[in-house]
């Protein structure tokens, strides 16, 4: 009998585990109601009187060893933060994968933040548009050659209905419903019938800006754009290059100074150091008139940019198609950015 107790003692002393479930099994097998200790104490009563003392002593040694061992293992488990494998009904059985925003949403939200901080509201319009809002009201009457600048998807049964080619259509809708002062930006999807390549896609995203009030001048436009590019890209220079858009006069394209430090800088700026990021200009008086705003009383500026283009610059992405493939290995890289 004493031999058996000694064997148990050896087993207890050499037992070790970092797994909560194994430790718990060990505890139950020794100290549980029907465990080894309980069985041995029950057997103690049967032990002949002359052996009782020695057996009792051994039994107490074993009992203490068991409780010491359990204490030691449990405190070890706590300090190493050992993961309990005892089923916890409040715990999920597998690690939950948290998602993240799409990089286009991250960039769009950042741009929205920058403009809402200076009082711009957000407005939206329909993706299926009519000719008036997408073209005619924007000073692009029928047969105007500039309509070819944007290859349009028409709804076959009705040539008057199309997928909007730019978010400038929202300008028109907004001015038709609101009188100045107007300060609004319009993010949204736009569609063009273009061959898909690393630089072009037939669905993409734009943000349009519109500011109409009394005495708005070109310098207000410039200052607003400076504030925007500084907030988004850091302290970088911009330049405005004369350009043409039917809905603005004068019109300009905005370049930011990207620099010429690396080979990539050379490639993406074609050796100039400058990158075009948007179009802008003073809203053409014809457009104001078309939308019911008196051009003798009010003036304003507008600008429009592609969100993909800005995101490609910020994150140095060379293929626009990556935004639309929704490969999680690509998307995951933008967690917590901007
Ligand atoms: N709508 C133009 C485009 O899609 C972008 C644009 C240029 C918008 C100049 C404007 C602007 O408001 O003033 O290419």
């Amino acid at each position: 009998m004493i031999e058996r107790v000694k064997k148990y003692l050896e087993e207890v002393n050499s037992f070790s585990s970092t797994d909560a479930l194994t430790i718990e099994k060990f505890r139950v097998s020794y100290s549980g109601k029907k465990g080894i200790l309980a069985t041995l104490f029950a057997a103690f009563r049967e032990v002949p009187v002359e052996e009782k003392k020695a057996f009792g002593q051994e039994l107490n040694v074993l009992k203490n060893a068991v409780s010491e061992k359990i204490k030691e293992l449990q405190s070890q488990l706590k300090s190493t933060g050992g993961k309990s494998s005892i089923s916890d009904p409040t715990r999920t059985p597998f690690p939950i994968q948290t998602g993240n925003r799409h990089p286009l949403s991250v960039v769009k939200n950042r741009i929205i933040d920058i403009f809402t901080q200076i009082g711009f509201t957000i407005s939206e319009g329909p993706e299926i548009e009519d000719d008036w809002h997408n073209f005619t009201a924007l000073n692009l009457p029928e047969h105007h050659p500039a309509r070819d600048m944007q290859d349009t998807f028409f709804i076959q049964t009705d040539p008057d209905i199309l997928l909007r080619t730019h978010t400038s259509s929202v300008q028109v809708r907004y001015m038709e419903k609101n009188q100045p002062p107007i300060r609004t930006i319009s993010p949204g999807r736009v569609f063009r019938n273009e061959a898909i390549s690393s630089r072009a896609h037939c669905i993409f995203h734009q943000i349009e800006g519109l500011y109409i009030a009394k005495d708005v001048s070109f310098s207000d436009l410039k200052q607003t754009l400076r504030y925007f590019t500084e907030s988004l890209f850091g302290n970088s220079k911009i330049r405005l290059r004369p350009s043409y858009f039917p809905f603005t006069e004068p019109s300009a394209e905005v370049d930011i100074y990207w620099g010429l430090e690396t080979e990539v800088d050379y490639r993406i700026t074609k050796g100039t150091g400058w990158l075009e990021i948007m179009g802008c200009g003073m809203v053409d008086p014809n457009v104001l008139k078309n939308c019911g705003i008196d051009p003798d009383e009010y003036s304003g500026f507008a600008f429009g940019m592609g969100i993909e283009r800005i995101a490609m610059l910020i994150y140095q992405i060379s293929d626009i198609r990556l935004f639309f493939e929704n490969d999680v290995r690509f998307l995951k890289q933008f967690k917590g950015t901007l």
Side-chain angles (χ1 to χ4, degrees):
M1 207 49 171
I2 284 201
E3 287 314 304
R4 245 172 75 199
V5 178
K6 281 189 172 153
K7 248 185 81 202
Y8 283 133
L9 188 61
E10 252 171 55
E11 201 179 281
V12 170
N13 285 336
S14 62
F15 179 80
S16 144
S17 171
T18 52
D19 175 59
L21 189 59
T22 316
I23 294 169
E24 181 60 8
K25 272 191 187 147
F26 169 83
R27 188 191 68 77
V28 173
S29 78
Y30 276 92
S31 321
K33 253 194 191 153
K34 289 180 185 156
I36 292 166
L37 285 176
T39 320
L40 289 173
F41 273 104
F44 179 69
R45 270 178 262 133
E46 316 297 324
V47 171
V49 191
E50 59 278 16
E51 287 175 31
K52 264 202 157 72
K53 194 175 170 203
F55 185 81
Q57 271 172 355
E58 275 310 313
L59 205 51
N60 273 328
V61 171
L62 178 66
K63 190 181 152 200
N64 290 337
V66 169
S67 79
E68 278 302 307
K69 190 61 150 193
I70 292 170
K71 245 192 257 162
E72 179 195 314
L73 293 174
Q74 281 176 345
S75 78
Q76 213 174 52
L77 197 67
K78 235 186 231 162
S79 67
T80 56
K83 288 193 185 60
S84 168
S85 55
I86 297 171
S87 57
D88 167 0
T90 64
R91 223 181 81 214
T92 51
F94 46 81
I96 295 179
Q97 299 266 344
T98 54
N100 57 279
R101 282 192 200 289
H102 192 286
L104 293 177
S105 298
V106 173
V107 172
K108 179 187 79 176
N109 290 343
R110 177 76 187 112
I111 297 173
I112 288 175
D113 278 351
I114 293 171
F115 282 106
T116 49
Q117 266 166 29
I118 54 169
F120 280 73
T121 61
I122 300 162
S123 50
E124 287 182 290
E127 292 176 353
I128 300 174
E129 249 316 348
D130 52 36
D131 185 282
W132 170 257
H133 292 95
N134 195 80
F135 290 128
T136 308
L138 288 164
N139 210 23
L140 277 142
E142 215 185 328
H143 306 307
H144 192 291
R147 283 191 178 210
D148 293 342
M149 286 162 77
Q150 303 173 354
D151 243 326
T152 311
F153 284 117
F154 290 94
I155 307 288
Q156 242 175 7
T157 49
D158 187 348
D160 191 47
I161 306 295
L162 46 87
L163 296 180
R164 68 177 176 196
T165 57
H166 52 185
T167 42
S168 302
S169 55
V170 189
Q171 273 192 33
V172 178
R173 289 190 175 271
Y174 197 86
M175 286 191 279
E176 284 173 343
K177 290 227 172 73
N178 300 277
Q179 277 297 306
I182 289 171
R183 260 178 274 157
T184 190
I185 51 166
S186 318
R189 273 202 304 187
V190 300
F191 308 84
R192 288 187 200 175
N193 188 11
E194 287 184 28
I196 295 175
S197 71
S198 63
R199 318 207 70 228
H201 203 274
C202 42
I203 302 177
F204 57 102
H205 300 77
Q206 288 188 330
I207 293 192
E208 182 81 11
L210 180 69
Y211 189 122
I212 311 281
K214 286 199 163 118
D215 302 321
V216 180
S217 69
F218 201 87
S219 60
D220 296 317
L221 166 61
K222 235 172 120 175
Q223 208 49 40
T224 306
L225 296 179
R226 252 183 70 92
Y227 156 78
F228 166 67
T229 51
E230 265 175 34
S231 310
L232 189 62
F233 296 103
N235 196 11
S236 79
K237 275 191 290 189
I238 59 168
R239 74 177 182 193
L240 275 71
R241 251 181 315 106
S243 184
Y244 171 76
F245 298 101
F247 26 89
T248 43
E249 182 59 34
S251 305
E253 268 163 318
V254 183
D255 296 343
I256 56 162
Y257 189 69
W258 192 254
L260 274 178
E261 275 153 37
T262 66
E263 223 177 287
V264 176
D265 296 343
Y266 254 88
R267 187 163 47 77
I268 63 174
T269 68
K270 299 196 179 82
T272 64
W274 292 92
L275 275 175
E276 185 212 315
I277 53 161
M278 64 169 112
C280 68
M282 300 306 291
V283 178
D284 193 291
N286 283 336
V287 176
L288 294 176
K289 250 187 269 167
N290 288 340
C291 302
I293 292 174
D294 182 359
D296 293 328
E297 203 179 337
Y298 297 106
S299 57
F301 60 77
F303 53 87
M305 67 190 106
I307 302 179
E308 279 79 0
R309 179 159 178 80
I310 308 256
M312 285 167 87
L313 292 176
I314 292 177
Y315 295 124
Q316 302 272 294
I317 295 163
S318 56
D319 194 325
I320 196 170
R321 290 169 293 197
L322 287 164
F323 291 122
F324 303 97
E325 282 164 4
N326 284 331
D327 183 334
V328 284
R329 291 166 303 178
F330 170 72
L331 299 177
K332 266 204 297 215
Q333 299 173 45
F334 305 95
K335 205 168 191 159
T337 56
L338 283 191

